[in-house]
Each structure stands twice: as C-alpha cells, then as structure tokens.
Amino acid sequence: MAVSEKEALCPYRLVLEHVTSRWGVLVLIELLDRPYRFSELRRTISAYGGGRGVSEKMLTQTLQTLERDGLVHRDAKPVIPPRVDYSLTGLGREAAEQVRALSQWTRDRMDDVEKARQTYDEARAAS
Amino acid sequence: MAVSEKEALCPYRLVLEHVTSRWGVLVLIELLDRPYRFSELRRTISAYGGGRGVSEKMLTQTLQTLERDGLVHRDAKPVIPPRVDYSLTGLGREAAEQVRALSQWTRDRMDDVEKARQTYDEARAAS
DNA sequence: CAGTATCCGTGTTGATACTG
DNA sequence: CAGTATCAACACGGATACTG
C-alpha cells in the first residue's frame, strides 16, 4: 500500500499507488462483480492463487485506504454478530474498470512476456 | 518492484506488479514520449515531483525487470563514454498506454478523491 | 463476525563507493 | 556515462492475541 513518506509524493501518485497496490488491485476487481462481506472478500482474494492470502490486517488497511479515497463504500450493519458489506462507489467503479483492463491485458500478453523472458535469460546464460 | 517470494505468485500478477510498480509506472509513461538515455531518464523521473528521485539502483532494477519482461528495449552503444538508449517495445507500448490512461484518470478524478478524503476525515474527527 | 493493537522478521529501498 | 557491489534503515506485511 505504501503509506510512509509517500505522503510527500504528489497526491495523484499516491492514489495511483493505492489503486495498484498488491491487494488494492484484487479488491477492486472482485468488487466489480458484486458487494462482498469482509471475510468473504478475504477468502475470495486468498483463493486467488499463488502466494498465501491476505492477512486481516492488510485487507483492513487496504479497504480503509480505498474507502478514504472514496473508491469503496463501507456499509456496517448494526447487528450482532456484526455484518459489513463493501461495495464500489461510482468513482471506484471507474478505477476498477481500468485496473481490470490492465489486469486482463497482462493475462492476454502473458505468453509474449514469458517468451521474452526466455530469450533474455538464454542470452545472458551465454556468459 | 517486488521480487522476493512473489516468484510464487501467479505469473500474471507478477507482471502486473512490475508494470504498476513505483518506478515502473513512471518509466513506462516517460518512454511513451520518446527514447531516453539512462541519466536523462533518471533526471526526468526525479523531477517528476513529490519525493526525491529514483536511485540509480532502483532505476537499473526497474529497467532490467521491464526489459526482461519484453516491455523495454535496451540499446547499448559500444562507445566511450558509454551510451545506452531505452525505448518501448510494441508490447511495452501497449502496457504503457494502459498505465498512462490509469494515471490520467487518477489526475482527472483527484478533486473527487480529495473531497472524499475530507468527508471521511471529518466524519471520524467527530469521535 | 469484523475488526484493533502490538510485536517482529525480512525485503525493499536508498546512500555510498567503486568499476569499465 | 552507465552501471555494479555492499551495507544499513526502515517500512511493509504478517502472526498473534484481544475487543465489541
């Protein structure tokens, strides 16, 4: 997420980093489908593949940041046990769509990238 | 950039992180305009605003990663003093355009974000 | 369930010095 | 000029324990 001295960065860079942050990307993409509850979101994202999932802490942090930026809407129902639904705001939806597009592109071009890597690695294996 | 255990992440997530990494974003956007030499790129990006600039190390790392992924082309001329030009590949240009779009969107919506933040902060200042 | 608070390992970052 | 190598700091991310 990057929160430290990045307060010193130009504001828009900051938002960009929130949006493109490790978990920010996944949260936005998931919420594009439908609203999610906290744990539900956690499970879904964790199952996403690769490394282990999000810690509660990181998911909380990510959601709070995105909420503060006005991209995510938090709806806490005053019931017991607690129930909180997260969804995208209009602003958030715009961002999420861009992110999804980039993510999609990456998947589409994966073959080219892998090929490029192979070429690169072979070239320097010949040292 | 993120290079550690992220080797364990699904490959496309990895590329996505390269592309959206702190300096990766700026490199791609700058190279969209024209080719740059190493130091030139370093100065331009550093002047970008906010925090201090890229360290040589980080710029090198970023460029190497992007080159390996086939997004950036490195043209090292065998002269003294050394001269190396960096430019986008076709693949890189596609990525860069997406990134620029996202970056542009962020700038455009900055006002809304700032407003949202203010609202958010005020709401919780009333604690 | 949905968080908060705290602590700690480790990776990423960046200064600095050096090389071709 | 265009890097590489080394080292130290610090922030990030996660595990754990606790709360409403």
Side-chain angles (χ1 to χ4, degrees):
Chain A
M1 185 69 53
V3 188
S4 60
E5 44 97 35
K6 296 182 183 175
E7 291 299 336
L9 290 175
C10 24
Y12 96 89
R13 289 274 319 277
L14 205 44
V15 177
L16 190 57
E17 301 209 344
H18 294 167
V19 168
T20 61
S21 70
R22 185 164 193 189
W23 306 117
V25 172
L26 298 182
V27 166
L28 289 174
I29 292 179
E30 281 314 308
L31 289 183
L32 212 44
D33 286 342
R34 62 175 180 87
Y36 275 86
R37 299 182 57 180
F38 186 83
S39 305
E40 203 182 12
L41 195 52
R42 183 155 133 77
R43 274 191 302 274
T44 306
I45 286 181
S46 295
Y48 222 86
R52 340 174 234 345
V54 224
S55 61
E56 290 180 3
K57 179 184 169 187
M58 283 301 109
L59 183 56
T60 300
Q61 203 174 95
T62 302
L63 286 169
Q64 283 176 349
T65 305
L66 294 177
E67 187 197 356
R68 190 170 107 95
D69 288 348
L71 304 178
V72 161
H73 174 68
R74 180 176 184 275
D75 183 21
K77 272 126 183 163
V79 299
I80 292 189
R83 177 191 177 101
V84 183
D85 286 290
Y86 291 93
S87 55
L88 291 177
T89 63
L91 205 57
R93 181 160 292 273
E94 290 182 20
E97 269 155 8
Q98 305 250 4
V99 169
R100 187 175 54 180
L102 187 56
S103 167
Q104 188 57 49
W105 178 87
T106 309
R107 261 197 301 274
D108 293 344
R109 296 303 189 182
M110 217 31 225
D111 284 354
D112 299 283
V113 170
E114 303 253 24
K115 208 165 294 177
R117 282 189 189 155
Q118 224 174 323
T119 305
Y120 181 90
D121 291 343
E122 280 166 7
R124 71 172 358 217
S127 62
Chain B
M1 185 71 50
V3 188
S4 59
E5 46 96 36
K6 298 182 182 174
E7 291 298 336
L9 291 173
C10 27
Y12 96 90
R13 289 274 321 275
L14 203 46
V15 177
L16 190 57
E17 300 210 343
H18 294 167
V19 168
T20 61
S21 70
R22 184 162 194 190
W23 307 118
V25 171
L26 298 182
V27 166
L28 289 174
I29 292 179
E30 280 314 307
L31 289 183
L32 212 44
D33 286 342
R34 62 174 179 86
Y36 274 86
R37 300 181 56 179
F38 185 84
S39 304
E40 202 182 12
L41 195 53
R42 183 153 133 78
R43 274 191 302 275
T44 305
I45 286 181
S46 296
Y48 222 86
R52 341 175 231 345
V54 223
S55 62
E56 292 179 2
K57 180 184 167 186
M58 281 303 109
L59 183 55
T60 301
Q61 205 172 97
T62 302
L63 286 169
Q64 282 175 350
T65 305
L66 294 177
E67 189 198 355
R68 189 169 109 94
D69 287 348
L71 304 178
V72 160
H73 175 67
R74 180 176 184 275
D75 183 21
K77 272 125 186 164
V79 298
I80 293 187
R83 176 191 178 100
V84 183
D85 287 290
Y86 291 94
S87 55
L88 291 177
T89 62
L91 204 57
R93 180 161 292 274
E94 290 182 19
E97 269 155 8
Q98 304 249 5
V99 170
R100 185 174 56 180
L102 187 56
S103 166
Q104 186 60 47
W105 177 87
T106 309
R107 260 197 301 274
D108 293 344
R109 296 303 188 181
M110 214 34 223
D111 284 353
D112 299 285
V113 170
E114 304 253 23
K115 210 165 294 178
R117 283 188 189 156
Q118 224 174 323
T119 305
Y120 181 91
D121 291 343
E122 280 166 8
R124 70 170 2 214
S127 61

